[in-house]
Amino acid sequence: MITKKIKRVLMGMTGLVAGIGFGFTVANHTFAATTPSVQYQTHVENIGWQGLVADGATAGTTGQSKRLEAIKIKLANQDASNSGSIQYQTHVENIGWQGNVQDGALSGTEGRGLRLEAIRISLTGNMANLYDVYYRVHAESFGWLGWAKNGADAGTMGYAYRLEAIQIKLVPKNQAAPGSTANPSYTMHAPNINYQTHVQNIGWQGLVANGATAGTTGRGLRVEAYKATLSNMPATVSGGVIYRAYVENIGWYTVVGNGGIAGTTGRGLRVEAMALELTGNIKNYYDVYYRVHSENYGWLGWAKDGGSAGTTGRSLRVEAMQIRLVKKGDPAPGGGTSFVPADQKDFIDVASYQSYLTQNDYYRMRDAGIKGVVVKLTEAASYQNPFAATQIAYARNAGMKIAAYHYAWFSNSPDAATEARYFAAYAKRLGLPGDTVMVDDFEQSEIVNAGGDKVSYINSFRSALAGQGYGNVVDYSYQNVTGPGKVVDTNRLNAQNIWIAQYPNNSNPDAARALKYNTTFAAWQYSSQKHFSGLTNNGSIDISIDYTGRFTN
């Protein structure tokens, strides 16, 4: 009796031990007898391989801005009931998604300095039936993302962001995730750049996008204005596009953006060049490329990110344009010369002091390379240069381009408008056409050093001239009062509409010119002491270099 009881007890214990050690089945479900573990280690920038961690611990670093470069993952503590493998693949800088590896193999790269950007992890075999594998990553600029599982993406794609740390956990099938599963990954889809052109004899054309042609080719029609916008922006990307146009008789027009009009409509003025630039954080991910179809040249090369495309100072129309967004690091759409600037020719300015110059003197200056003359017409609202008509005639006979200047004395907006009208009246009497470059010579110390808003006075002068039919206005002043935040404030006035004077080597004009100072301005007066050989009188003459072609072409 006793022996039989002991035997039954021993047999029951044996069954219990077997159940604990090797798994058992209840209601057609197999339970693992052991709890498997997931172990992993990462190769980190400037550190190398870190030690193994397991089951939700952090591998990598946070707060140190160090990239993960490779990872190894394996399962441990398995038996026959929970057999299977762990597979994984990584998205690597400059490579993209690598193929799957498993069970402790390396995914990523070593010794190449390439960041991991995303990862996928999955289970195989009976492990996939018993467990879900959850994982989350700490990504540059995002921090910890939500938990992904079973082969889903974790990390970022298209942002060029590094993974910095990772946590991995095994969770029994269909049990709750370790934490939030919101937004385990972000993929940047490509935004659109949309644009349209206002074309001679056509008006506004329809919108095109992403490298399509706006405008016309083979028809000899000028583009007069254009607009651009961004659309289809990724959720985590912000910003816009700003742009400008170089316009006939005006030069570089005011910067506009996000659907504003660059150029003019209703005035018959051609766009000759263009430039675009991205704003906001989209410029961290994309470059904007653009090119133009230019009169006499055809398609020029691609410019990007604020560079000029087209021509200046050559009186050549833009006929069509193409604009594209290109992901940072991707190749450009093409090469070639994108911009043909004006030949940097010289011009002089004359007043009654140079009334001694004869027709032959103008011919000699022309032969010495002078392409334009700026003739003083008026001063304040009480003086007219009595020699202006003759000086204009001599310069015109020599084939030089004619511009005119007014010596300003205004110290408020009403006086500025009065002087502008006085200037315009004399220009009309002398027969100067409406596209003549008209210069506001703003240098008299009494007005430069007086109080008040000088820029508003200058703008009043410009507006009043435009009201008289002269819209091609340039402001002249000295370098020491011109620039951002100065009297002639280039934060408020377009530098491309300013003729600036600075004499770094007045006794040697040729040496001064070679310095090529002030190239962001329309023109630079580099000497007041130029002497030309063979003239009737060897007096000194102001000489300038024309950076935009407005004074010489």
Side-chain angles (χ1 to χ4, degrees):
M1 261 323 254
I2 295 173
T3 304
K4 289 181 178 179
K5 286 183 179 179
I6 293 172
K7 187 174 181 181
R8 285 198 297 270
V9 170
L10 290 173
M11 288 176 66
M13 291 178 65
T14 302
L16 177 63
V17 170
I20 293 172
F22 299 101
F24 58 96
T25 300
V26 176
N28 299 318
H29 189 91
T30 300
F31 289 86
T34 58
T35 301
S37 172
V38 60
Q39 300 177 348
Y40 44 99
Q41 66 181 138
T42 51
H43 189 281
V44 179
E45 174 186 3
N46 296 335
I47 294 175
W49 285 107
Q50 295 180 307
L52 276 172
V53 297
D55 302 326
T58 298
T61 64
T62 61
Q64 298 185 48
S65 300
K66 295 184 182 299
R67 65 181 172 264
L68 298 187
E69 298 178 345
I71 189 168
K72 300 175 182 178
I73 311 172
K74 65 182 181 178
L75 298 174
N77 201 31
Q78 292 177 274
D79 59 29
S81 65
N82 53 35
S83 62
S85 295
I86 189 164
Q87 294 184 338
Y88 44 100
Q89 63 181 141
T90 52
H91 190 279
V92 180
E93 174 186 0
N94 296 339
I95 295 174
W97 285 109
Q98 295 182 313
N100 269 314
V101 298
Q102 64 182 34
D103 300 335
L106 183 151
S107 182
T109 64
E110 237 183 312
R112 297 174 62 183
L114 301 178
R115 63 182 172 266
L116 299 187
E117 298 177 345
I119 190 168
R120 297 167 178 160
I121 308 174
S122 59
L123 299 170
T124 68
N126 203 34
M127 280 296 295
N129 298 325
L130 297 173
Y131 289 92
D132 295 313
V133 60
Y134 280 89
Y135 43 99
R136 69 169 183 166
V137 297
H138 190 279
E140 176 186 355
S141 297
F142 285 99
W144 285 109
L145 300 180
W147 289 89
K149 76 170 182 176
N150 298 343
D153 296 340
T156 68
M157 288 150 285
Y159 289 85
Y161 285 170
R162 63 183 172 267
L163 297 189
E164 298 176 346
I166 188 169
Q167 296 171 342
I168 310 173
K169 290 193 74 169
L170 298 176
V171 175
K173 201 70 176 178
N174 299 323
Q175 291 190 17
S180 172
T181 58
N183 301 318
S185 67
Y186 289 94
T187 299
M188 183 181 289
H189 58 260
N192 296 325
I193 186 157
N194 316 292
Y195 45 100
Q196 63 184 136
T197 49
H198 189 280
V199 178
Q200 174 188 0
N201 298 337
I202 295 175
W204 285 110
Q205 296 180 306
L207 278 172
V208 297
N210 303 332
T213 298
T216 64
T217 60
R219 298 174 62 183
L221 300 178
R222 64 180 173 265
V223 169
E224 299 176 343
Y226 72 100
K227 305 175 184 177
T229 58
L230 299 179
S231 65
N232 194 39
M233 296 279 277
T236 56
V237 174
S238 61
V241 59
I242 58 175
Y243 44 95
R244 59 181 181 159
Y246 188 92
V247 179
E248 173 186 359
N249 295 338
I250 295 174
W252 283 110
Y253 221 59
T254 304
V255 173
V256 297
N258 304 320
I261 297 175
T264 64
T265 60
R267 297 175 61 181
L269 301 177
R270 64 182 170 266
V271 170
E272 299 178 1
M274 62 183 292
L276 296 92
E277 191 172 355
L278 299 174
T279 64
N281 73 355
I282 189 173
K283 66 183 180 182
N284 298 327
Y285 311 115
Y286 285 90
D287 296 311
V288 58
Y289 280 86
Y290 42 95
R291 66 173 182 167
V292 302
H293 191 278
S294 181
E295 177 185 359
N296 294 346
Y297 285 96
W299 286 110
L300 294 174
W302 291 88
K304 76 167 187 173
D305 296 341
S308 298
T311 68
T312 57
R314 296 175 180 270
S315 300
L316 300 178
R317 62 183 173 266
V318 167
E319 298 176 343
M321 62 182 63
Q322 297 172 338
I323 309 174
R324 293 184 60 180
L325 297 178
V326 175
K327 191 178 294 185
K328 288 284 189 185
D330 284 359
T337 300
S338 63
F339 177 62
V340 184
D343 293 332
Q344 294 177 350
K345 302 169 184 175
D346 285 0
F347 63 96
I348 61 171
D349 57 272
V350 297
S352 58
Y353 304 112
Q354 287 81 30
S355 61
Y356 60 83
L357 293 171
T358 67
Q359 181 67 79
N360 284 334
D361 290 334
Y362 280 86
Y363 290 145
R364 291 188 181 96
M365 290 188 291
R366 175 202 63 193
D367 294 342
I370 298 302
K371 301 298 184 182
V373 179
V374 186
V375 179
K376 180 177 179 179
L377 300 192
T378 51
E379 183 171 338
S382 57
Y383 171 80
Q384 296 176 346
N385 175 11
F387 304 100
T390 299
Q391 291 169 323
I392 289 169
Y394 285 169
R396 185 174 287 129
N397 292 340
M400 299 175 181
K401 184 171 180 177
I402 309 299
Y405 80 90
H406 169 82
Y407 194 90
W409 280 86
F410 53 78
S411 57
N412 55 62
S413 290
D415 287 350
T418 297
E419 291 189 25
R421 288 190 290 269
Y422 184 73
F423 182 30
Y426 195 34
K428 290 178 181 178
R429 203 156 78 239
L430 293 170
L432 295 180
D435 62 355
T436 301
V437 175
M438 302 285 277
V439 177
D440 167 23
D441 184 350
F442 192 82
E443 64 172 289
Q444 184 63 33
S445 59
E446 286 88 340
I447 63 171
V448 169
N449 297 324
D453 186 351
K454 313 298 192 308
V455 172
S456 69
Y457 307 157
I458 290 170
N459 283 334
S460 294
F461 184 90
R462 297 174 67 88
S463 295
L465 269 182
Q468 296 298 308
Y470 291 103
N472 193 4
V473 183
V474 171
D475 302 304
Y476 169 96
S477 198
Y478 286 99
Q479 189 270 342
N480 63 337
V481 299
T482 303
K486 294 185 178 181
V487 173
V488 183
D489 187 354
T490 51
N491 288 330
R492 298 170 61 195
L493 294 169
N494 187 344
Q496 292 281 307
N497 290 327
I498 295 173
W499 171 20
I500 193 166
Q502 182 186 16
Y503 309 142
N505 191 343
N506 213 18
S507 62
N508 189 340
D510 292 340
R513 187 187 192 280
L515 297 173
K516 295 290 178 69
Y517 285 177
N518 303 303
T519 56
T520 59
F521 295 90
W524 169 38
Q525 188 181 88
Y526 59 87
S527 179
S528 63
Q529 297 291 320
K530 177 66 176 178
H531 297 273
F532 293 90
S533 61
L535 301 190
T536 303
N537 183 312
N538 196 29
S540 59
I541 298 175
D542 295 342
I543 188 167
S544 302
I545 185 171
D546 184 7
Y547 288 129
T548 60
R550 290 171 76 179
F551 292 92
T552 57
N553 288 338

